[in-house]
Amino acid sequence: MAATLIDGRAVARDVKERIAVKTAEMIAWGITPHLAVVLVGENPASQVYVRNKENACIKAGIRSTVIRLDEDCTQQTLEDTVKKLNDDESVHGILVQLPLPKHLDEASVLRLIDPDKDVDGFHAMNSGRLMNGQPAFVPCTPLGVMELLKAYDIDPNGKRAVVIGRSNIVGKPMAMLLLAANATVTICHSRTQNLAEITRDADILVAAVGRANFVKADMVKPGAAVIDVGINRVDGKLVGDVDFDAVSEVAGHITPVPGGVGQMTIAMLLCNTLDAAAKRGR
Ligand code: GUN
């Protein structure tokens, strides 16, 4: 393997340690950072994610409240819950775990969250602020990617960056963050023609496609930093969007799955919660 492995576990551990120190300082000033998570229904994956978020908060000293609503709860109940959290002075961050059950309107709920408590960064106000280069809550996964690049001294300034995937949660904010860091950015997606030709130009290649082993070695520029955001289950095993073994022989840096970007998401959620508490200052 030629590429340097980007160790998401180690970077996430460092970030969480820094957060625990800052949280203790804030508590000493009389502010206890507080994240409220709303979980609707019994989706097993969501339950695991929410438990992990709760445990990470507790470990960092951040107060965590999980509000569990029934699978068949009404839109009104969910919206009332969010409004109550908006009005609750003790709550700094609000996260509505997705996906919601099919009968609920996700967009309407996300629109209701106070943008200053939107630690997921999913509210249009925050995506707009990010787009305009204003201070914003940024979705945790792309924020985590930027933290990994920083940890390994990979400076996007002047580089060519290619993002495969155009979701509101990863692809688009990822592109905006790389642009803000002065990269020349291309977003590719399922309709992109001559994909490999474009990705081979990338000094930084971010794969957020949702297809196992999609990025092959011949799509990667020698020495590139390859960041794999994918989490796919194949025969019960977690694999990324990048053909790891083959791409490792070509890339300069690479993130593994698991143990790469995935580790960073919760760490950045804690960061956003701390920021929300610091900004409010009470
Ligand atoms: N479901 C899976 N990942 C996430 C996330 O980062 N935030 C929310 N709200 N729901 C999710």
Side-chain angles (χ1 to χ4, degrees), residues 49 53 95-99 120 122 265:
Y49 285 137
K53 286 168 187 170
L95 181 151
V96 176
Q97 186 66 27
L98 304 177
D120 253 334
F122 292 171
T265 303

Side-chain angles (χ1 to χ4, degrees), residues 184-235:
T184 300
V185 185
T186 305
I187 304 178
C188 299
H189 46 79
S190 55
R191 305 289 173 91
T192 298
Q193 294 183 1
N194 305 322
L195 178 67
E197 213 173 275
I198 300 168
T199 58
R200 271 199 299 271
D201 241 2
D203 302 304
I204 298 168
L205 178 60
V206 181
V209 196
R211 282 168 65 180
N213 302 318
F214 178 82
V215 175
K216 305 291 184 195
D218 65 0
M219 295 166 70
V220 174
K221 178 178 178 171
V226 178
I227 309 294
D228 192 347
V229 180
I231 301 177
N232 310 287
R233 206 168 274 279
V234 175
D235 301 330

Side-chain angles (χ1 to χ4, degrees), residues 59-70:
K59 228 170 147 183
I62 292 174
R63 183 176 164 201
S64 142
T65 303
V66 179
I67 294 129
R68 292 184 167 77
L69 299 177
D70 288 340

